[in-house]
Amino acid sequence: MTSPDSRIEVPAEPTAFPLVEGATALIVIDMQRDFLLPGGFGESLGNDVSLLQRVVEPLAGLIAAARAVGVPVIHTREGHLPDLSDCPPAKLHRGAPSKRIGDPGPSGRILVRGEYGHDIVDELRPLPGEVVIDKPGKGAFYATDLQQVLADAGITQLIVTGVTTEVCVHTTTREANDRGYECLVVSDCVGSYFPEFQRVGLEMVKAQGGIFGWVASSDDVVAALASLSARTTTPA
Ligand code: TIU
């Protein structure tokens, strides 16, 4: 459904999401080989990385729909400088992973910028000119220029996708919400190594009247973006 101003109501929970034309960006969080493929950071932590593959196909469709109507696509990558000077000891030494950040793996040093494993999976490769935010933390705002990038582009809303739902997607959504951004998390375009965390992670976003934001399916977001295109191409 469209309204006379520049808003489109996207079916979502807990209420329809008022997508504002020209003020929305699609953020694709950490769809890196290090999280999705064997031999990377995600697997070193003991996770079954195959669980994240289900995100790739719907997310590729959503990215294509955004590009088709000129909605900016912003990619993020979690990782560290080769000398690990931006990796807090608390992160480096935590737990008992099979490999630590910076250790050599089959796709290069684990979670280190510039390594093959640190980059985004082939299916979701950024286009030239799309913003790629390299971040040392779980949230995409911490120690990055994301807020300035969004302000410069007049963006006030984020369509949030990527991995993992309860870690970097949640942290970024919470950071964005505190900064005043309206966040629409796309349920089938975010993924977790833990099915229970996936379910509860989405519940937490939309509970209490949408305490951090809204949740919608990619089908509904793609349809909304397509109707944006129809309006743009239909003479008044
Ligand atoms: N371990 C885990 O679930 N996630 C991360 O470490 N980073 C992101 O979520 N990107």
Side-chain angles (χ1 to χ4, degrees):
M1 183 172 62
T2 58
S3 57
D5 63 13
S6 58
R7 283 187 301 164
I8 290 183
E9 301 284 316
V10 184
E13 293 181 292
T15 61
F17 179 78
L19 193 149
V20 180
E21 190 174 357
T24 303
L26 171 62
I27 185 162
V28 181
I29 298 172
D30 300 359
M31 291 298 289
Q32 298 160 253
R33 299 185 183 105
D34 250 316
F35 294 106
L36 279 102
L37 299 182
F41 183 61
E43 191 174 77
S44 80
L45 298 172
N47 298 306
D48 174 2
V49 293
S50 70
L51 285 168
L52 301 190
Q53 280 299 324
R54 49 166 284 280
V55 173
V56 173
E57 191 180 327
L59 182 48
L62 180 57
I63 291 171
R67 285 174 178 157
V69 294
V71 166
V73 181
I74 298 172
H75 308 259
T76 73
R77 298 183 297 200
E78 180 181 348
H80 297 283
L81 298 169
D83 67 2
L84 305 187
S85 58
D86 60 350
C87 183
K91 182 176 183 181
L92 186 58
H93 299 303
R94 185 158 320 142
S98 60
K99 290 191 174 70
R100 292 202 183 272
I101 295 168
D103 285 351
S107 296
R109 294 176 66 204
I110 301 286
L111 218 61
V112 170
R113 293 182 193 172
E115 301 287 343
Y116 182 76
H118 172 263
D119 213 349
I120 292 165
V121 295
D122 293 335
E123 300 92 320
L124 307 178
R125 190 184 302 123
L127 289 183
E130 288 180 347
V131 173
V132 180
I133 300 281
D134 278 318
K135 62 187 184 66
K138 304 305 183 192
F141 289 87
Y142 170 68
T144 73
D145 60 359
L146 177 58
Q147 192 160 0
Q148 194 60 52
V149 167
L150 298 176
D152 290 348
I155 300 298
T156 61
Q157 305 184 320
L158 295 174
I159 300 171
V160 184
T161 65
V163 297
T164 63
T165 306
E166 75 280 11
V167 182
C168 292
V169 169
H170 245 256
T171 306
T172 299
T173 302
R174 290 166 188 242
E175 285 184 331
N177 180 63
D178 279 350
R179 286 165 173 77
Y181 295 93
E182 295 175 310
C183 295
L184 176 61
V185 178
V186 186
S187 55
D188 52 329
C189 291
V190 295
S192 172
Y193 301 120
F194 303 88
E196 184 68 358
F197 291 174
Q198 172 77 0
R199 186 183 67 74
V200 176
L202 292 170
E203 289 288 333
M204 290 168 76
V205 171
K206 67 187 182 190
Q208 305 182 64
I211 196 75
F212 300 126
W214 289 256
V215 176
S217 70
S218 64
D219 282 351
D220 284 333
V221 181
V222 167
L225 293 172
S227 74
L228 198 74
S229 161
R231 285 197 313 166
T232 311
T233 54
T234 303

